[in-house]
Amino acid sequence: MSNPVLPEKILHYIGGKHLPSVDGATFEVAEPVTNRVYAQVAAGGPEDVDRAVEAATAAFETGPWPAMAARARARVLNRIADAIEARGEQIAAMETFDTGLPVTQARGQAARAAENFRFFADMAVTLHEDAFSSPAQLGYVLRKPRGVAGLITPWNTPFMLESWKLAPALAAGCTVVLKPAEWTPLSASLLPEIMAEAGVPDGVFNIVHGIGEVAGAALVMHPGAPLISFTGETTTGQTIMRSAATSLKGLSMELGGKSPCVIFADADLDLAVDSALFGVFSLNGERCTAGSRILAERTVYDSLVSRLGERAERIKVGDPSDPATEIGALVHPEHYDRVLSYVRLGVREGARLVTGGSRPAGLGAGNYLAATVFADVTPSMRIFQEEIFGPVVCVTPFDDEAEAVALANDTRYGLAAYLWTCDLRRAHRVAAAVEAGMTWVNSHNVRDLRTPFGGVKASGLGREGGQHSIDFYTESRIVHVALGDTHVPRFGA
Ligand code: NAD
């Protein structure tokens, strides 16, 4: 893998210009292999957010973007996808350097980012609206982009998640202000040149970097941005919902998870083991949809725990830029300490540490943690209930289907669920009973971009993906037209 070219400074991008903060404030950003600072980043405040929202508002109200023919916008989105593909290696290298994601997985995320733009380019040109016809009246829907969308994104797979919001917002005709996560601003610094090369008019796409509680909060409070699409922790989502209430903003909330992977004894156990391991240890376990609770039928529980432990022990942890690496470095020392504190908590709570739990031998520095498996985890333990967001999995036995469902649902989260069984009727029963926004049966997390993405309970509000994303970034207005004589009650006649 080539080393990424690093900017010394990462600036905001507002109205087509790279700008420092109005007050000159910056913050430092470090990479997770050495935890050395590699750049100074503009730290946005309310005035920077004002400038960005003003630029986006001007581009929305007087620029060509919202009124462009769908095909013309789709061409631009496809050129963005081309530009991302042309830089695929560079994006993957930056993401690996900045987040600690293994490079092979970062390449996949870069490819998915391009696919997000292609997918929403296709959607833009195939959109159609409802019409409601009766002998007396015709109603038809006009769909309008909603204006300036504030996009607030997390540090896990940052480039891909930014694209997952940018593509539908732009396809819908909105203009945007993106606030990337402060721990991982690097790959977003490529977006201005990608957008400009693709022909996105100035002001349509803006970035304000900065600390969440400052720059993010200012964007949420800004009266000029009627929409906030947020992906991040549940507690941050709650804060954002409270602040957004003042201006009645449209909100899309993609939040945390503690998703179950339920393995019945009749499943294809080889495949289930592969999938359970991939589901929690890919992307360093820093994955919202990670199957971080494995629920195993008691008759196969012991053998599954042994198999999971043996395989996890052999997972290659190390330099994220090495193509052989399966788990890289966790994003930030603060996050690393938090994940380690959960490992210590699990031991204190009485869970059985099967493997991992510490820094792998030979990796003296960097935020490295061996793939960690806890068995005999009970629902009263915090490691069963709370999102750890690292390479740590809890395994719990169950005796029958009813208990499997009860355990699966015994958390405040409800993002994803993975079910492994060869009994067709049971698969459908459990899929309907499990409280999850997205359930996969005999499969890992394979996405079809047309389908609704999002969680129930504390995992989110609203859906992204396909038409759901377009619905969020647009508003439908109905026009009623009388087709015959109109009879009106004659008040005061
Ligand atoms: P986070 O909530 O700490 O931060 C996310 C973003 O919000 C960052 O850009 C941050 O700067 C900003 N922010 C923080 N405080 C803010 C505030 N008061 N007002 C406005 N913005 C604020 O989350 P994180 O640690 O970056 O990401 C990890 C979390 O994201 C995990 O909980 C994970 O499950 C979740 N996640 C969910 C999905 C999903 O689709 N459901 C996808 C990826 C990650």
Side-chain angles (χ1 to χ4, degrees), residues 77 80-82 84-85 91 95 106-120 157-164 167 191 449:
L77 293 186
I80 296 174
D82 295 340
I84 291 174
E85 276 164 1
I91 294 167
E95 208 75 319
R107 285 185 184 125
Q109 296 298 316
R112 166 68 195 283
E115 181 55 25
N116 288 340
F117 281 100
R118 291 211 192 287
F119 173 82
F120 282 105
T157 60
F159 194 82
M160 194 286 282
L161 283 173
E162 287 151 11
S163 72
W164 181 236
L191 282 168
L449 302 187

Short mmCIF file of all heavy atoms in Angstrom, two decimals, residues 77 80-82 84-85 91 95 106-120 157-164 167 191 449:
data_model
loop_
_atom_site.label_atom_id
_atom_site.label_comp_id
_atom_site.label_asym_id
_atom_site.label_seq_id
_atom_site.Cartn_x
_atom_site.Cartn_y
_atom_site.Cartn_z
N LEU A 77 -23.33 13.12 -10.17
CA LEU A 77 -23.13 12.08 -9.14
C LEU A 77 -22.28 10.94 -9.70
O LEU A 77 -21.42 10.38 -9.01
CB LEU A 77 -24.47 11.54 -8.64
CG LEU A 77 -25.36 12.50 -7.86
CD1 LEU A 77 -26.58 11.80 -7.31
CD2 LEU A 77 -24.62 13.16 -6.72
N ILE A 80 -18.80 11.98 -9.66
CA ILE A 80 -18.24 11.88 -8.29
C ILE A 80 -17.80 10.42 -8.06
O ILE A 80 -16.71 10.15 -7.55
CB ILE A 80 -19.28 12.30 -7.22
CG1 ILE A 80 -19.65 13.77 -7.39
CG2 ILE A 80 -18.74 12.04 -5.82
CD1 ILE A 80 -20.79 14.24 -6.47
N ALA A 81 -18.67 9.47 -8.47
CA ALA A 81 -18.32 8.06 -8.30
C ALA A 81 -17.04 7.73 -9.08
O ALA A 81 -16.15 7.03 -8.58
CB ALA A 81 -19.47 7.18 -8.77
N ASP A 82 -16.93 8.26 -10.33
CA ASP A 82 -15.71 8.02 -11.13
C ASP A 82 -14.48 8.56 -10.38
O ASP A 82 -13.44 7.90 -10.32
CB ASP A 82 -15.78 8.75 -12.48
CG ASP A 82 -16.88 8.21 -13.37
OD1 ASP A 82 -17.33 7.06 -13.15
OD2 ASP A 82 -17.29 8.94 -14.31
N ILE A 84 -14.09 9.04 -7.22
CA ILE A 84 -13.78 8.23 -6.04
C ILE A 84 -13.06 6.95 -6.48
O ILE A 84 -12.04 6.54 -5.90
CB ILE A 84 -15.07 7.90 -5.25
CG1 ILE A 84 -15.60 9.17 -4.61
CG2 ILE A 84 -14.80 6.83 -4.19
CD1 ILE A 84 -16.96 9.01 -3.92
N GLU A 85 -13.57 6.33 -7.55
CA GLU A 85 -12.94 5.09 -8.03
C GLU A 85 -11.50 5.37 -8.46
O GLU A 85 -10.60 4.57 -8.18
CB GLU A 85 -13.74 4.49 -9.17
CG GLU A 85 -14.88 3.64 -8.63
CD GLU A 85 -15.94 3.32 -9.67
OE1 GLU A 85 -15.82 3.71 -10.84
OE2 GLU A 85 -16.93 2.67 -9.25
N ILE A 91 -7.84 6.84 -1.17
CA ILE A 91 -8.86 6.95 -0.11
C ILE A 91 -8.63 5.83 0.91
O ILE A 91 -8.65 6.06 2.13
CB ILE A 91 -10.28 6.88 -0.70
CG1 ILE A 91 -10.53 8.11 -1.56
CG2 ILE A 91 -11.33 6.76 0.40
CD1 ILE A 91 -11.77 8.03 -2.44
N GLU A 95 -7.76 6.32 4.80
CA GLU A 95 -8.67 5.79 5.81
C GLU A 95 -7.93 4.84 6.76
O GLU A 95 -8.11 4.88 7.98
CB GLU A 95 -9.79 5.03 5.07
CG GLU A 95 -11.09 5.00 5.77
CD GLU A 95 -11.86 6.31 5.73
OE1 GLU A 95 -11.25 7.37 5.87
OE2 GLU A 95 -13.09 6.24 5.60
N ALA A 106 -10.61 -1.29 4.09
CA ALA A 106 -10.76 0.12 3.70
C ALA A 106 -10.98 0.23 2.19
O ALA A 106 -11.74 1.09 1.72
CB ALA A 106 -9.52 0.91 4.11
N ARG A 107 -10.34 -0.65 1.42
CA ARG A 107 -10.57 -0.64 -0.04
C ARG A 107 -12.03 -0.94 -0.35
O ARG A 107 -12.64 -0.31 -1.21
CB ARG A 107 -9.69 -1.70 -0.73
CG ARG A 107 -8.25 -1.28 -0.81
CD ARG A 107 -7.43 -2.29 -1.61
NE ARG A 107 -6.04 -1.89 -1.57
CZ ARG A 107 -5.03 -2.67 -1.17
NH1 ARG A 107 -5.26 -3.92 -0.81
NH2 ARG A 107 -3.81 -2.20 -1.15
N GLY A 108 -12.58 -1.90 0.36
CA GLY A 108 -13.99 -2.25 0.16
C GLY A 108 -14.90 -1.07 0.49
O GLY A 108 -15.89 -0.82 -0.20
N GLN A 109 -14.54 -0.34 1.54
CA GLN A 109 -15.37 0.81 1.94
C GLN A 109 -15.28 1.92 0.89
O GLN A 109 -16.28 2.61 0.63
CB GLN A 109 -14.92 1.33 3.31
CG GLN A 109 -15.13 0.33 4.45
CD GLN A 109 -16.59 -0.03 4.66
OE1 GLN A 109 -17.45 0.83 4.66
NE2 GLN A 109 -16.87 -1.32 4.80
N ALA A 110 -14.09 2.11 0.30
CA ALA A 110 -13.95 3.14 -0.75
C ALA A 110 -14.80 2.76 -1.96
O ALA A 110 -15.48 3.61 -2.55
CB ALA A 110 -12.48 3.29 -1.14
N ALA A 111 -14.80 1.47 -2.30
CA ALA A 111 -15.61 1.02 -3.45
C ALA A 111 -17.10 1.23 -3.15
O ALA A 111 -17.87 1.65 -4.02
CB ALA A 111 -15.32 -0.45 -3.74
N ARG A 112 -17.48 0.96 -1.92
CA ARG A 112 -18.89 1.14 -1.54
C ARG A 112 -19.28 2.62 -1.61
O ARG A 112 -20.41 2.97 -1.98
CB ARG A 112 -19.10 0.56 -0.15
CG ARG A 112 -20.35 0.92 0.54
CD ARG A 112 -21.64 0.37 -0.06
NE ARG A 112 -22.75 1.09 0.50
CZ ARG A 112 -23.25 0.92 1.71
NH1 ARG A 112 -22.77 -0.04 2.48
NH2 ARG A 112 -24.23 1.65 2.17
N ALA A 113 -18.33 3.52 -1.27
CA ALA A 113 -18.64 4.96 -1.35
C ALA A 113 -18.97 5.34 -2.78
O ALA A 113 -19.94 6.07 -3.04
CB ALA A 113 -17.46 5.77 -0.83
N ALA A 114 -18.19 4.84 -3.74
CA ALA A 114 -18.48 5.13 -5.15
C ALA A 114 -19.84 4.56 -5.52
O ALA A 114 -20.65 5.21 -6.19
CB ALA A 114 -17.38 4.54 -6.04
N GLU A 115 -20.11 3.36 -5.06
CA GLU A 115 -21.39 2.70 -5.37
C GLU A 115 -22.57 3.51 -4.81
O GLU A 115 -23.62 3.60 -5.44
CB GLU A 115 -21.37 1.27 -4.80
CG GLU A 115 -22.62 0.45 -5.04
CD GLU A 115 -23.02 0.34 -6.52
OE1 GLU A 115 -22.14 0.47 -7.39
OE2 GLU A 115 -24.22 0.14 -6.78
N ASN A 116 -22.39 4.11 -3.63
CA ASN A 116 -23.47 4.93 -3.06
C ASN A 116 -23.85 6.06 -4.03
O ASN A 116 -25.04 6.35 -4.23
CB ASN A 116 -23.04 5.53 -1.72
CG ASN A 116 -22.99 4.48 -0.61
OD1 ASN A 116 -23.59 3.42 -0.73
ND2 ASN A 116 -22.26 4.78 0.45
N PHE A 117 -22.83 6.71 -4.63
CA PHE A 117 -23.15 7.80 -5.56
C PHE A 117 -23.80 7.26 -6.83
O PHE A 117 -24.75 7.85 -7.36
CB PHE A 117 -21.89 8.61 -5.89
CG PHE A 117 -21.55 9.58 -4.79
CD1 PHE A 117 -20.57 9.28 -3.85
CD2 PHE A 117 -22.23 10.79 -4.66
CE1 PHE A 117 -20.28 10.16 -2.81
CE2 PHE A 117 -21.94 11.67 -3.63
CZ PHE A 117 -20.96 11.36 -2.70
N ARG A 118 -23.32 6.12 -7.34
CA ARG A 118 -23.94 5.54 -8.55
C ARG A 118 -25.39 5.15 -8.28
O ARG A 118 -26.28 5.38 -9.10
CB ARG A 118 -23.18 4.30 -9.01
CG ARG A 118 -21.84 4.61 -9.54
CD ARG A 118 -21.36 3.65 -10.62
NE ARG A 118 -19.95 3.89 -10.84
CZ ARG A 118 -19.46 4.95 -11.48
NH1 ARG A 118 -20.28 5.85 -11.98
NH2 ARG A 118 -18.16 5.11 -11.62
N PHE A 119 -25.60 4.55 -7.12
CA PHE A 119 -26.95 4.09 -6.78
C PHE A 119 -27.92 5.29 -6.75
O PHE A 119 -29.00 5.25 -7.34
CB PHE A 119 -26.93 3.38 -5.42
CG PHE A 119 -28.30 3.03 -4.94
CD1 PHE A 119 -28.93 1.89 -5.39
CD2 PHE A 119 -28.97 3.85 -4.06
CE1 PHE A 119 -30.22 1.57 -4.97
CE2 PHE A 119 -30.25 3.54 -3.63
CZ PHE A 119 -30.87 2.40 -4.09
N PHE A 120 -27.53 6.37 -6.07
CA PHE A 120 -28.46 7.51 -5.97
C PHE A 120 -28.53 8.31 -7.27
O PHE A 120 -29.52 9.00 -7.52
CB PHE A 120 -28.14 8.36 -4.74
CG PHE A 120 -28.65 7.71 -3.47
CD1 PHE A 120 -27.78 7.09 -2.57
CD2 PHE A 120 -30.02 7.67 -3.21
CE1 PHE A 120 -28.26 6.46 -1.43
CE2 PHE A 120 -30.50 7.03 -2.06
CZ PHE A 120 -29.62 6.43 -1.18
N THR A 157 -15.58 3.96 9.56
CA THR A 157 -15.73 4.04 8.10
C THR A 157 -16.21 5.44 7.67
O THR A 157 -17.25 5.58 7.03
CB THR A 157 -16.71 2.97 7.56
OG1 THR A 157 -18.01 3.15 8.13
CG2 THR A 157 -16.23 1.57 7.86
N PRO A 158 -15.42 6.47 8.01
CA PRO A 158 -15.93 7.83 7.82
C PRO A 158 -16.28 8.17 6.37
O PRO A 158 -17.34 8.73 6.11
CB PRO A 158 -14.82 8.72 8.37
CG PRO A 158 -13.63 7.84 8.52
CD PRO A 158 -14.12 6.45 8.68
N PHE A 159 -15.38 7.81 5.44
CA PHE A 159 -15.63 8.23 4.05
C PHE A 159 -16.90 7.59 3.51
O PHE A 159 -17.72 8.23 2.87
CB PHE A 159 -14.42 7.86 3.17
CG PHE A 159 -14.44 8.53 1.84
CD1 PHE A 159 -13.97 9.82 1.69
CD2 PHE A 159 -14.94 7.87 0.71
CE1 PHE A 159 -13.99 10.46 0.45
CE2 PHE A 159 -14.97 8.49 -0.53
CZ PHE A 159 -14.49 9.78 -0.66
N MET A 160 -17.06 6.30 3.79
CA MET A 160 -18.25 5.59 3.28
C MET A 160 -19.52 6.19 3.89
O MET A 160 -20.50 6.44 3.20
CB MET A 160 -18.13 4.10 3.61
CG MET A 160 -19.13 3.25 2.86
SD MET A 160 -20.80 3.38 3.46
CE MET A 160 -20.71 2.34 4.90
N LEU A 161 -19.49 6.45 5.20
CA LEU A 161 -20.70 6.96 5.84
C LEU A 161 -21.01 8.40 5.39
O LEU A 161 -22.18 8.78 5.30
CB LEU A 161 -20.59 6.87 7.36
CG LEU A 161 -20.80 5.43 7.89
CD1 LEU A 161 -20.51 5.35 9.38
CD2 LEU A 161 -22.21 4.94 7.61
N GLU A 162 -19.96 9.17 5.10
CA GLU A 162 -20.22 10.51 4.55
C GLU A 162 -20.92 10.38 3.20
O GLU A 162 -21.90 11.07 2.92
CB GLU A 162 -18.89 11.28 4.41
CG GLU A 162 -18.33 11.72 5.77
CD GLU A 162 -16.81 11.83 5.81
OE1 GLU A 162 -16.15 11.78 4.74
OE2 GLU A 162 -16.26 11.96 6.93
N SER A 163 -20.42 9.44 2.38
CA SER A 163 -21.00 9.27 1.03
C SER A 163 -22.44 8.79 1.13
O SER A 163 -23.28 9.12 0.28
CB SER A 163 -20.17 8.29 0.20
OG SER A 163 -20.36 6.97 0.67
N TRP A 164 -22.75 8.01 2.15
CA TRP A 164 -24.09 7.44 2.32
C TRP A 164 -25.12 8.54 2.62
O TRP A 164 -26.31 8.37 2.39
CB TRP A 164 -24.01 6.40 3.44
CG TRP A 164 -25.27 5.67 3.78
CD1 TRP A 164 -25.85 5.61 5.02
CD2 TRP A 164 -26.09 4.88 2.92
NE1 TRP A 164 -26.97 4.82 4.96
CE2 TRP A 164 -27.15 4.36 3.67
CE3 TRP A 164 -26.02 4.55 1.56
CZ2 TRP A 164 -28.14 3.54 3.15
CZ3 TRP A 164 -27.02 3.74 1.02
CH2 TRP A 164 -28.05 3.24 1.82
N ALA A 167 -24.69 11.38 -0.99
CA ALA A 167 -25.23 10.96 -2.29
C ALA A 167 -26.75 11.19 -2.36
O ALA A 167 -27.22 11.83 -3.31
CB ALA A 167 -24.87 9.50 -2.56
N LEU A 191 -12.73 15.31 -0.42
CA LEU A 191 -14.05 15.55 -1.03
C LEU A 191 -14.12 16.86 -1.82
O LEU A 191 -14.71 16.87 -2.91
CB LEU A 191 -15.15 15.49 0.03
CG LEU A 191 -15.54 14.08 0.45
CD1 LEU A 191 -16.41 14.10 1.71
CD2 LEU A 191 -16.28 13.35 -0.68
N LEU A 449 -28.85 -1.73 -1.45
CA LEU A 449 -28.98 -0.30 -1.13
C LEU A 449 -30.41 0.23 -1.28
O LEU A 449 -30.71 1.33 -0.85
CB LEU A 449 -28.01 0.54 -1.98
CG LEU A 449 -26.53 0.16 -1.84
CD1 LEU A 449 -25.66 1.15 -2.58
CD2 LEU A 449 -26.10 0.08 -0.38
#
